[in-house]
């Protein structure tokens, strides 16, 4: 084998500071792959490992020969702060793999960037620093970041470039990996980029972060207009506000080929421009009462457009438990017809339905084992309408071409509504998660999803933005930021603190 030796790895967790601790089991249920097993996974048509790695590998393969060195990919979607021992283990395994592989010519990591651990408040920064310490200052270290990364200077300082997704839903993960491959090639040829970093005192509500239209779409477009021969990458990460960490806040990273002054100037200009748009990011939700009336009407009139109701406050993709019953209870009590709820996380209920079998009638007791205050018990007479093992390969949006498992899954009928009950906590972003249960989405009158926004790319062939209702119910991932019991978010911060003035100053610069 000839060509540069590039180490590949991944670490992804989005930590909600108010959700239960993220365990090793959660990583293992999602993706924990090392060495040969990681290589084998990424060679499959539908890997579990992050799409950024696939994109990087494909782009590198299209060029001159190179040698991938597979280290570890540990990902767990969104949960709470990571068990410190599990994080330490991930880093130790990554370090051991890098040490064994030295000398290396480069490192590429698919990162999320919004993890916290139970002790370490900046695991992503720690991981990058430890990688840098092993490979030294001259070996390129590149990484992709989630659009919701809570970026810290420690992360920017340790990497040569961090490229955040520019789409939400995140359908450009592979593309950003490919972008890193191009920069890797240029760095192997001698380029040494500079990165400027600005953090805004601004935590935008999660529901105003769609990148197809609205203030975030405009911010991304504004940033991308600066790209030219000198400006390599503009990354605007809104951050994950519910992480509730000292590194919360929207951030701008601008990476240039050589010109540090240009990087700083562009970063400051973009940051000031976004700050000037901050009032546009405040959103309006629909009350549960109004949402229930809309669902009732949709169920009664088959000629009216069907609706999609987003339970944005219980989004497993943001650390929600995926099992609150506020909307379910309201729709059932009101007698809504033709509604499908997907997907409701309740391992005990899914197991009971599997044990009882198809066609069984029983009293479905939701949330019998749950302890979170928002996940209140709910009981109703139910019929088991479908049972699956929950293994699907995604066909649209963020799960397209990826393997994902909801574990043993059951479709329960409760009066006029059906509920897809799952064993693995996931967000409903992929149509096959309910279609595999025999649900015809085009015949559904109301689809209720536990998801903040990723559902949009999965269901936009049926539910266009004008048919999407974001419902205001309580939950761990509420977008009504004034309701969150903040502990660590730096203050003052917009929109929690009124009458703030701010201007980009003291832009940090890496390189040169
Ligand atoms: Zn994200």
């Amino acid at each position: 084998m000839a060509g540069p030796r590039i180490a590949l790895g991944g670490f992804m967790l989005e930590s909600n500071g108010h959700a239960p601790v993220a365990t090793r089991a959660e990583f293992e249920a999602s993706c924990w792959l090392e060495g040969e097993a990681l290589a084998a996974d990424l060679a499959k048509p539908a890997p579990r490992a992050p799409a950024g790695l696939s994109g990087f590998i494909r782009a590198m393969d299209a060029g001159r020969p190179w040698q991938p060195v597979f280290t570890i990919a540990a990902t767990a979607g969104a949960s709470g702060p990571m068990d410190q021992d599990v994080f330490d283990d991930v880093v130790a395994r990554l370090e051991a793999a890098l040490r064994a592989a030295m000398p290396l010519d480069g490192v590429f990591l698919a990162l999320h960037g919004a993890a916290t651990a139970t002790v370490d408040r900046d695991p992503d920064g720690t991981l990058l620093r430890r990688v840098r310490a092993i490979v030294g200052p001259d070996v390129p270290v590149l990484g992709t970041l989630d659009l919701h990364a809570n970026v810290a200077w420690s992360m920017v300082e340790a990497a040569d470039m961090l490229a955040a997704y520019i789409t939400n839903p995140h359908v450009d993960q592979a593309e950003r990996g490919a972008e890193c491959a191009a920069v890797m090639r240029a760095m192997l040829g001698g380029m040494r980029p500079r990165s400027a970093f600005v953090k805004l005192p601004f935590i935008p509500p999660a529901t105003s972060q769609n990148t197809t239209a609205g203030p975030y779409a405009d911010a991304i477009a504004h940033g991308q207009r600066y790209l030219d021969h000198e400006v390599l990458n503009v990354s605007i990460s809104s951050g994950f506000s519910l992480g509730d960490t000292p590194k919360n806040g929207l951030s701008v990273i601008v990476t240039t080929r050589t010109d540090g002054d240009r990087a700083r100037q562009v970063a400051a200009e973009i940051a000031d421009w976004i700050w000037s748009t901050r009032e546009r990011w405040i959103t309006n939700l629909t009350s549960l009462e109004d949402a229930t009336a809309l669902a009732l009407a949709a169920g009664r009139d088959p000629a009216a457009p069907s609706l999609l109701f987003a339970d944005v406050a219980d989004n497993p993709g943001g650390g929600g438990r995926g099992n609150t019953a506020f909307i379910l209870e309201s729709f059932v009590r009101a007698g809504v017809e033709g509604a499908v709820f997907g997907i409701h996380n309740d391992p005990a209920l899914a197991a009971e339905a599997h044990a009882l079998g198809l066609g069984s009638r029983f009293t479905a007791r939701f949330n019998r084992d749950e302890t979170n205050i928002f996940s209140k018990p709910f009981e109703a007479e139910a019929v088991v309408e479908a049972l699956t093992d929950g293994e699907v390969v995604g066909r649209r949006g963020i799960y397209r071409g990826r393997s994902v498992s909801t574990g043993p899954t059951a479709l329960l009928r409760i009066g006029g509504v059906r509920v897809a009950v799952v064993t693995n906590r996931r967000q409903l972003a992929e149509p096959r998660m309910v279609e595999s249960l025999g649900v015809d989405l085009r015949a559904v009158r109301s689809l209720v999803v536990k998801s903040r926004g990723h559902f949009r790319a999965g269901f936009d062939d049926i539910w266009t933005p004008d048919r999407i209702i974001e419902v205001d119910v309580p939950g761990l991932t509420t977008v009504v930021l004034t309701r969150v019991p903040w502990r660590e978010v730096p203050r003052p911060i917009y929109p929690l603190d009124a009458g703030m003035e701010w201007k980009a100053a003291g832009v940090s610069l890496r390189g040169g």
Side-chain angles (χ1 to χ4, degrees):
M1 289 274 276
R5 291 163 52 76
I6 312 291
L8 303 174
F11 169 62
M12 290 190 178
L13 171 68
E14 184 178 75
S15 297
N16 182 318
H18 304 271
V21 168
T23 60
R24 178 182 297 265
E26 285 182 70
F27 280 85
E28 284 168 354
S30 175
C31 170
W32 183 302
L33 295 163
E34 296 176 67
E36 285 305 309
L38 177 57
D41 174 76
L42 283 162
K44 289 179 188 165
R48 280 186 189 277
L53 286 168
S54 304
F56 182 88
I57 291 168
R58 264 199 303 274
M60 289 297 289
D61 284 348
R64 290 189 300 277
W66 70 298
Q67 302 173 62
V69 175
F70 295 91
T71 64
I72 177 169
T75 76
S79 185
M82 187 171 180
D83 182 291
Q84 187 66 38
D85 291 342
V86 182
F87 175 66
D88 291 344
D89 190 32
V90 169
V91 176
R93 286 165 189 267
L94 175 60
E95 288 181 310
L98 292 174
R99 281 207 186 90
M102 289 294 279
L104 285 162
D105 299 294
V107 179
F108 170 72
L109 299 168
L111 301 171
H112 184 288
T116 59
T118 47
V119 179
D120 190 340
R121 309 311 290 151
D122 179 25
D124 294 285
T126 300
L127 184 140
L128 281 163
R129 240 186 349 258
R130 303 269 281 271
V131 168
R132 177 61 75 195
I134 289 171
V135 301
D138 300 326
V139 170
V141 176
L142 304 174
T144 50
L145 288 181
D146 196 272
L147 172 130
H148 298 106
N150 286 326
V151 185
W153 169 240
S154 58
M155 295 159 64
V156 179
E157 195 178 26
D160 291 281
M161 182 179 84
L162 293 173
Y165 312 149
I166 60 173
T167 59
N168 187 25
H170 310 325
V171 291
D172 67 327
Q173 301 181 33
E175 228 177 289
R176 298 284 76 74
E179 181 182 346
C180 287
V183 172
M184 182 66 79
R185 290 284 189 192
M187 289 195 70
L188 293 170
M191 183 182 74
R192 284 295 173 265
R194 312 281 175 89
S195 292
F197 172 65
V198 188
K199 166 82 66 187
L200 282 76
F202 175 28
I203 45 173
T207 42
S208 59
Q209 298 185 21
N210 199 284
T211 57
T212 42
Y216 207 172
D218 296 345
I220 295 283
H222 184 83
Q224 295 297 298
R225 279 197 281 272
Y226 284 92
L227 297 180
D228 58 18
H229 182 70
E230 179 57 30
V231 180
L232 283 176
N233 180 275
V234 172
S235 288
I236 301 170
S237 303
S238 57
F240 179 54
S241 58
L242 298 165
D244 195 2
T245 74
K247 56 180 191 148
N248 266 123
L250 189 145
S251 60
V252 179
I253 313 172
V254 174
T255 303
T256 56
R257 262 167 224 280
T258 57
D259 189 342
D261 289 340
R262 181 92 196 282
R264 292 171 91 138
Q265 178 209 332
V266 171
E269 275 180 32
I270 292 171
D272 285 337
W273 186 86
I274 294 172
W275 179 253
S276 76
T277 68
R278 64 194 178 281
E279 284 169 15
R280 287 184 59 210
W281 298 64
I282 305 309
T283 50
N284 287 314
L285 303 177
T286 300
S287 72
L288 181 56
E289 198 185 353
D290 290 351
T292 306
L294 287 167
L296 262 178
R300 281 176 188 149
D301 181 2
S306 62
L307 298 173
L308 185 152
F309 297 87
D311 187 351
V312 296
D314 189 29
N315 169 27
R321 304 299 298 154
N323 60 12
T324 67
F326 300 104
I327 303 177
L328 177 60
E329 189 167 357
S330 180
F331 281 20
V332 168
R333 290 243 158 98
V336 168
E337 293 285 333
V340 169
F341 285 73
I343 45 179
H344 190 102
N345 167 45
D346 196 327
L349 188 55
E352 187 180 4
H354 272 258
L356 290 169
L358 269 184
S360 304
R361 289 174 181 277
F362 72 120
T363 302
R365 293 182 297 122
F366 290 82
N367 294 335
R368 69 191 85 166
D369 294 340
E370 178 62 53
T371 54
N372 190 270
I373 52 160
F374 297 116
S375 308
K376 296 186 172 55
F378 170 65
E379 275 190 20
E381 294 310 303
V383 179
V384 182
E385 283 205 343
L387 297 167
T388 68
D389 63 2
E391 301 285 338
V392 297
V393 173
R395 69 177 181 88
R396 304 194 84 239
I398 62 165
Y399 287 120
R400 185 191 167 116
R402 314 306 283 186
S403 296
V404 59
S405 173
T406 55
T409 297
L411 186 69
L412 304 183
R413 173 172 288 285
I414 300 171
V417 312
R418 289 178 292 170
V419 189
V421 180
V422 302
T423 301
N424 297 342
R425 199 172 52 85
R426 298 272 182 269
Q427 71 174 305
L428 182 52
E430 166 52 48
R432 283 196 176 138
M433 287 178 176
V434 285
E435 288 171 340
S436 59
L437 294 159
V439 172
D440 175 3
L441 288 169
R442 295 200 180 264
V444 167
R445 302 303 303 142
S446 295
L447 179 69
V448 186
V449 304
K450 289 191 176 290
S451 171
R452 180 267 317 144
H454 284 317
F455 67 85
R456 288 173 187 267
F459 298 96
D460 61 356
D461 56 338
I462 301 178
W463 288 283
T464 43
D466 53 308
R467 291 161 67 175
I468 293 170
I469 317 288
E470 292 167 332
V471 188
D472 186 7
V473 287
L476 274 172
T477 61
T478 181
V479 297
V480 185
L481 298 178
T482 48
R483 287 188 200 148
V484 179
W486 300 102
R487 291 185 297 247
E488 292 186 41
V489 155
R491 305 295 284 262
I493 201 160
Y494 186 83
L496 301 181
D497 300 297
M500 285 178 64
E501 293 297 324
W502 181 84
K503 198 166 172 27
V507 179
S508 307
L509 181 69
R510 178 196 189 276

